């Protein structure tokens, strides 16, 4: 990888700070170093929140696996969570849970990445864990036998997704004879033949400092952090790496794949091979994809002229090659052939006549602007650097900027001509199929029982125990400024200076189920579909061109947003307000959108997902509960433009709206801009109630919704619960949920259902509290013959929460998780905007997260037990299963 020529003083200074690290450099907030053992280190300082992300990128993935064992790298990734010398799997799980953030991994073609996202105070712990796992990993055969069950559940889950099935076939055809011909996932058959010794060999061969890149982003002291990295990793020996697999891509042969799907709509894909991330033509491919995917381009136009429900161009770039796909969506029962013909014609024209130069220019500006938006998230910033260095073999995320600027329309047209040859196209048509109606169940193997109890308290290593010994409510980094305009609109501004961008998040409290007239179900969906057709002053193409001119993105509707460079903030707000307050709602577009919504709903009503949701809702809620309302095609087709306009006038009210602005903007300036753009927005009549009413406790039950395309069951065990978002009991329930389902390996349910018995891949618990009602839910995915056993363990664990207090260790760990999540909720513009928007719309103070932290800190184990005993009903659960029929 190329290195910048740096000033000698900076290089020497940071080399000394690293205690002998070599080739260290510092460019503003970016610090780089290469240790003597070859470990490359990048530290990116970002003070958005007291949060850090560490990403250890090993340059080994599915490209390096043995023949016949495509999931080896993936299996090693799983086993890395089973412990290392000096750190047991239970200790690792407890440490990760105590940190409260994200702790996971992903396996790609040429990279396996392990990442932490945690409060900045836990940086030393994260680095020590990464160091121990580089040094070695426990590959006990019995542990692999357990993990094999979990990873095979993951395989079943992905193979239940028709789009993944198509993608697997596309790769096999497009990249035949190369490692890209298989995905990193692996197969159940190969995992059955894989041994722990094989996995250890892969780890010991490829997991080396000279085959790794460590990226650290967040609120850190770069010099001190680099010194810590040297201390943790400097004495790990480099290794001699084997030769890597060769890639010799042959021209793909045209093929058409036909697959059923459980989606409520059908999909048409037209795929071609594109240059990869490391290609000299990658920037050109990026611009080509952006131009074809523009809202002003012909593929997107299929939605607006009624050819398809949706049209787009998407791409996935691998290091050595990529895939570009035109996509068209059609309603259930619709004919995909006209869409396929239109997509073929569009790409043929791009190849023969070229692409509109204005679209190329807009795609370039958008791609360059996106580089600045990456600074708006701590983990997003780390991801950007890992992607640039480990996947693209680039110098930095900004290294592509010059290449993008150099792209010309002629280069884009030449690439289109080389690429879009029908002889090399891989086509797929995914056709929706009905799987059957909900079926009442008499039982899912519930007789099976496992005597299970939580593991004994984990004794943490001294270095970790000391880090987590003290619990306190973290200080928020937010200082939002709140205004209420004369028309009732609430404006909240959180100034941030980490990038030269501004993001706006808006919400109007509406509820179609409570506000739409009887027989007018679907009016909200039709209205939402019309906002994309422009404003009273600009048609959709002129409006999108205005946005392209300032590299901004707008989304209008009851939930609305704006992303824009800060220099264009006022222009962006003006365009957003024009779209939100003066939508065109053209009659011709109304006919198109109404037909699309009706056609889409015809498929939705027969889809397993809809049938599943409705069946569960009917089992939980009283008959005729408004949340059970749904639009039928005939309801949608009976709508008129006047009814849609009436609904818009009735529900879009400034006194039910909140706007949150995050970014480089002065609050007073933001207020002035918002007043100018939204100040004349008026509400008429009294405020409506948009919250669902309270409901009684449900009866227990079981139901099954067939899904012919799934090989794994999706399971929800749910009940209504008399806990609202204002009820103080929510704190105790949330804290108990962390004991049950929080953290990765550290929760009771994960240990019981996944770790001990290999029944599931993931399991979670959720309290969904509304203003007047709540729902409590445990959810997991597993094979049909494991549903009953997993469900029995869920009930057993819930009863145990009621019968005895959680342990002191569990209570402290759960508190630590929730307290440490407070700063994590402030680690991106999106997280900040979502948090402040939700608090405002729920009528809570803007420092409610700190208030919640104090509640969590004071809760006792008996109080958690009492809350579960009072509100949770283990024998009152409705068990809903979607997929193959569960087996007793």
């Amino acid at each position: 990888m190329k290195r910048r020529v740096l000033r000698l003083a900076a290089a020497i200074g940071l080399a000394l700070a690293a205690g002998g690290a070599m080739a260290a450099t510092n460019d503003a907030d970016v610090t780089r170093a290469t240790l003597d053992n070859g470990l490359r280190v990048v530290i990116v300082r970002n003070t958005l929140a007291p949060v850090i992300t560490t990403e250890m990128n090993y340059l080994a993935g599915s490209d390096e696996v043995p023949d016949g064992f495509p999931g080896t790298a993936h299996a090693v990734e799983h086993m890395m969570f089973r412990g290392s010398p000096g750190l047991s799997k239970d200790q690792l799980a407890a440490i990760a849970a105590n940190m409260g953030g994200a702790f996971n991994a992903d396996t790609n073609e040429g990279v396996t990445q392990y990442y932490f996202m945690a409060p900045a105070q836990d940086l030393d712990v994260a680095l020590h864990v990464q160091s121990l796992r580089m040094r070695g990993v426990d590959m006990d055969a019995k542990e692999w036998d357990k993990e094999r069950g979990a990873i095979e559940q993951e395989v079943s889950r992905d193979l239940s997704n028709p789009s993944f099935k198509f993608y697997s076939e596309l790769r096999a055809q497009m990249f035949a004879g190369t490692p890209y011909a298989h995905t990193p996932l692996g197969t159940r058959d190969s995992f059955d033949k894989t041994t722990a010794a094989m996995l250890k060999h892969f780890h010991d061969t490829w997991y080396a400092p000279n085959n790794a890149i460590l990226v650290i982003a967040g609120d850190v002291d770069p010099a001190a952090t680099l010194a810590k990295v040297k201390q943790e990793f400097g004495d790990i020996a480099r290794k001699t790496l084997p030769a890597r697999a060769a890639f010799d891509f042959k021209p793909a042969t045209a093929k058409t794949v036909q697959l059923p799907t459980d989606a409520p709509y059908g999909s048409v894909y037209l795929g071609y091979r594109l240059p990869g991330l490391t290609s000299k033509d990658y920037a050109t491919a990026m611009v080509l994809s952006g131009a074809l995917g523009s809202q002003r381009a012909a593929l997107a136009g299929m939605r607006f002229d009624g050819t398809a429900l949706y049209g787009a161009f998407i791409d996935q770039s691998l290091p050595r090659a990529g895939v570009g796909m035109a996509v068209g969506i059609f309603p259930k029962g619709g004919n995909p052939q006209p869409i396929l013909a239109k997509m073929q014609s569009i790409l043929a024209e791009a190849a023969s006549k070229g692409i509109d130069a204005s679209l190329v220019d807009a795609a370039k500006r958008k791609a360059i602007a996106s580089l600045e938006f990456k600074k708006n998230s701590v983990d997003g910033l780390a991801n950007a650097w890992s992607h640039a260095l480990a996947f693209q073999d680039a110098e930095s995320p900004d290294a592509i900027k010059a290449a993008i600027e150099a792209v010309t329309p002629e280069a884009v047209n030449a690439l289109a001509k080389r690429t879009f040859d029908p002889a090399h196209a891989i086509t797929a048509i995914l056709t929706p199929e009905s799987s059957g109606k909900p079926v009442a169940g008499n039982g899912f193997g519930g007789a099976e029982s496992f005597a299970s109890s939580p593991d004994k308290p984990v004794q943490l290593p001294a270095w970790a125990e000391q880090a987590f010994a003290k619990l306190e409510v973290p200080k928020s980094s937010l200082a939002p400024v709140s205004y209420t305009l004369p028309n009732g609109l609430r404006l909240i501004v959180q100034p941030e200076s980490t990038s030269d961008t501004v993001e706006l998040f808006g919400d109007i409290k509406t509820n179609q189920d409570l506000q739409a007239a009887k027989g007018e179900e679907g009016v909200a969906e039709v209205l939402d579909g019309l906002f994309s057709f422009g404003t009273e002053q600009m048609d959709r193409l002129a409006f999108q061109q205005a946005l392209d001119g300032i590299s901004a993105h707008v989304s209008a509707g009851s939930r609305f947003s704006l992303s824009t460079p800060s220099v264009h903030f006022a222009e962006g707000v003006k365009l957003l307000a024009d779209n939100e307050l003066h939508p065109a709602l053209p009659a011709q577009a109304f006919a198109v959108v109404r037909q699309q919504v009706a056609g889409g709903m015809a498929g939705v009503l027969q889809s397993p997902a809809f049938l599943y949701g409705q069946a569960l809702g009917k089992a939980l809620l009283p008959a005729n509960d408004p949340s059970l309302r749904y639009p039928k095609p005939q309801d949608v087709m009976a709508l008129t433009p006047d009814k849609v306009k009436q609904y818009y006038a009735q529900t879009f009210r400034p006194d039910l709206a909140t706007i949150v602005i995050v970014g480089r903007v002065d609050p007073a300036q933001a207020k002035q801009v918002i007043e100018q753009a939204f100040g004349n927005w008026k509400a008429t009549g009294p405020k409506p109630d948009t919250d669902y009413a309270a409901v009684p406790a449900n009866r227990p039950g079981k139901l099954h919704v067939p899904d012919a395309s799934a090989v794994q069951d999706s399971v929800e065990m749910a009940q209504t619960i008399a806990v609202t978002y204002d009820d103080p009991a929510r704190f105790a329930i949330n804290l108990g949920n962390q004991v049950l389902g929080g953290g990765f390996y550290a929760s009771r349910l994960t240990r019981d259902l996944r770790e001990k018995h290999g029944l599931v891949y993931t399991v979670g618990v959720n309290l969904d509290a509304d203003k007047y009602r709540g729902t409590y839910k445990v959810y997991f995915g597993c094979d049909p013959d494991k549903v009953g056993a997993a469900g029995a363990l869920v009930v057993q664990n819930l009863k145990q929460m009621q019968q005895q207090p959680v342990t002191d260790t569990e209570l402290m760990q759960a508190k630590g998780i929730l307290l440490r999540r407070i700063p994590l909720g402030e680690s991106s513009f999106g997280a900040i905007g979502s948090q402040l928007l939700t608090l405002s719309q729920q009528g809570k103070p803007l420092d409610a997260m700190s208030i919640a932290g104090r509640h969590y800190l004071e809760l006792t184990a008996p109080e958690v037990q009492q809350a579960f005993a009072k509100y949770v009903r283990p024998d009152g659960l409705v068990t809903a299963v979607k997929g193959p029929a569960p087996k007793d």
Side-chain angles (χ1 to χ4, degrees), residues 736-757:
N737 281 350
Q738 291 306 313
V739 175
L740 270 174
F744 192 43
Y745 280 113
S747 74
R748 289 185 177 187
L749 288 175
T750 300
R751 286 182 175 178
D752 219 358
L753 276 68
R754 171 181 166 139
E755 165 74 5
K756 290 184 179 180
H757 298 107

Side-chain angles (χ1 to χ4, degrees), residues 159-174:
L159 290 178
S160 294
N161 185 329
S163 295
F164 181 82
K165 293 180 186 177
F166 154 62
Y167 181 62
S168 298
E169 292 196 32
L170 178 145
R171 287 180 58 143
Q173 188 75 11
M174 189 170 287

